[in-house]
Amino acid sequence: MSDARILFGFHAVLSRLRQHGASVQEILIDRDRIDARMKDLLSLAEQANVRTMEVDRARLDGLAGMNGRHQGVIARVVDTPIPYKDIYDILESGLKEPPFFLILDGVEDPHNLGACLRVADAMGVHAVIAPKDRAVGLNATVRKVACGAAETVPFLAVTNLARTIRELQDAGVFVIGASAEAEHDLLATKFDGPVALVLGAEGTGLRRLTEETCDSLVSIPMFGSVESLNVSVASGICLYEVRRQRSLK
């Protein structure tokens, strides 16, 4: 099993079973784990007509890799068709509110991407956009951390991020980048129309070209002693503010 074709952990496997059960070829489970959670998963797999196999934990450890916390369950899956190939597919999909995008500029940590997808799902983001190069893609670790959000939030990996931002702008989407040095305050910014929030990579922030392409830059007000936030935490704060303002309307 290659990393691109396995899912591990209960959240990721259960979500795939519920969302795209036909894409799950088989599920390997720890033969020594027999608890209520595992029984529920086995019941769902049976309903979806997915084969399950009991194996030694050592085999699961080897498949998941050193950093893979599989929780005793690994699924072998086939890629499912991506319903959205570009931003125009999203914009023309009959959205019930103004477009709402999250753009991640070069996030390389799979745990951060997974967490960003999870909060994007929670806040009703229509798609997450990221560059193909020098950034992590949807691997097994990302899917596990996302707790199912990788199956529900469209993820668009684009060749040229600056060009994609300009295409969003041409479509009437206001693109706002998050930067610690920005003069405008996040909480004093209006997010009542089509919007895309752009957050940078861990440590380095937005790249120069990305920052220059944004329509505006905002900073997250900080009231403590730390000077910066993890990208997934920052995305949660920014996305929540957009959703809060939209809920008020």
Side-chain angles (χ1 to χ4, degrees):
M1 294 182 190
S2 66
D3 184 62
R5 291 186 177 274
I6 69 167
L7 298 178
F8 54 80
F10 277 97
H11 280 298
V13 175
L14 283 169
S15 177
R16 178 58 75 98
L17 277 172
R18 294 188 181 109
Q19 300 289 336
H20 307 289
S23 71
V24 182
Q25 293 186 324
E26 66 178 358
I27 298 175
L28 308 182
I29 63 171
D30 184 348
R31 68 171 72 252
D32 295 323
R33 176 164 184 172
I34 306 175
D35 54 25
R37 199 176 189 188
M38 185 65 79
K39 289 179 180 178
D40 288 343
L41 183 143
L42 291 175
S43 177
L44 187 60
E46 184 179 2
Q47 294 174 31
N49 198 30
V50 174
R51 181 179 64 171
T52 59
M53 295 178 57
E54 294 182 355
V55 298
D56 294 332
R57 187 174 184 86
R59 183 178 178 187
L60 298 177
D61 291 341
L63 292 171
M66 293 181 59
N67 299 318
R69 298 179 180 178
H70 52 72
Q71 300 175 301
V73 55
I74 287 180
R76 184 161 66 92
V77 304
V78 293
D79 295 332
T80 54
I82 300 174
Y84 304 108
K85 299 184 184 302
D86 55 39
I87 61 169
Y88 301 107
D89 287 340
I90 304 292
L91 293 170
E92 298 170 3
S93 63
L95 302 176
K96 297 180 180 179
E97 65 174 352
F100 183 14
F101 294 94
L102 171 63
I103 300 175
L104 300 173
D105 185 17
V107 172
E108 298 181 340
D109 186 328
H111 293 85
N112 276 339
L113 177 57
C116 286
L117 285 167
R118 190 172 181 180
V119 75
D121 175 83
M123 293 299 106
V125 169
H126 298 128
V128 174
I129 302 169
K132 287 183 178 179
D133 298 327
R134 298 181 182 179
V136 66
L138 291 183
N139 61 28
T141 300
V142 171
R143 293 182 185 277
K144 179 179 184 298
V145 175
C147 295
E151 313 301 325
T152 58
V153 180
F155 180 79
L156 306 178
V158 300
T159 303
N160 188 314
L161 189 60
R163 182 172 61 203
T164 300
I165 290 175
R166 287 191 289 269
E167 290 174 346
L168 285 170
Q169 291 166 330
D170 291 341
V173 177
F174 197 68
V175 180
I176 302 175
S179 172
E181 291 76 32
E183 296 182 2
H184 300 293
D185 189 312
L186 171 74
L187 303 182
T189 303
K190 290 186 177 182
F191 298 102
D192 53 354
V195 65
L197 287 171
V198 192
L199 284 91
E202 305 88 355
T204 58
L206 298 177
R207 290 177 295 176
R208 180 185 58 82
L209 180 58
T210 303
E211 185 171 307
E212 291 176 352
T213 309
C214 292
D215 293 304
S216 178
L217 298 174
V218 298
S219 61
I220 298 173
M222 306 286 282
F223 303 98
S225 58
V226 298
E227 297 181 355
S228 63
L229 295 170
N230 175 282
V231 63
S232 62
V233 174
S235 67
I237 293 172
C238 293
L239 297 178
Y240 179 80
E241 178 58 19
V242 176
R243 182 52 58 193
R244 185 190 70 84
Q245 291 190 23
R246 292 190 173 194
S247 297
L248 289 175
K249 293 185 64 178

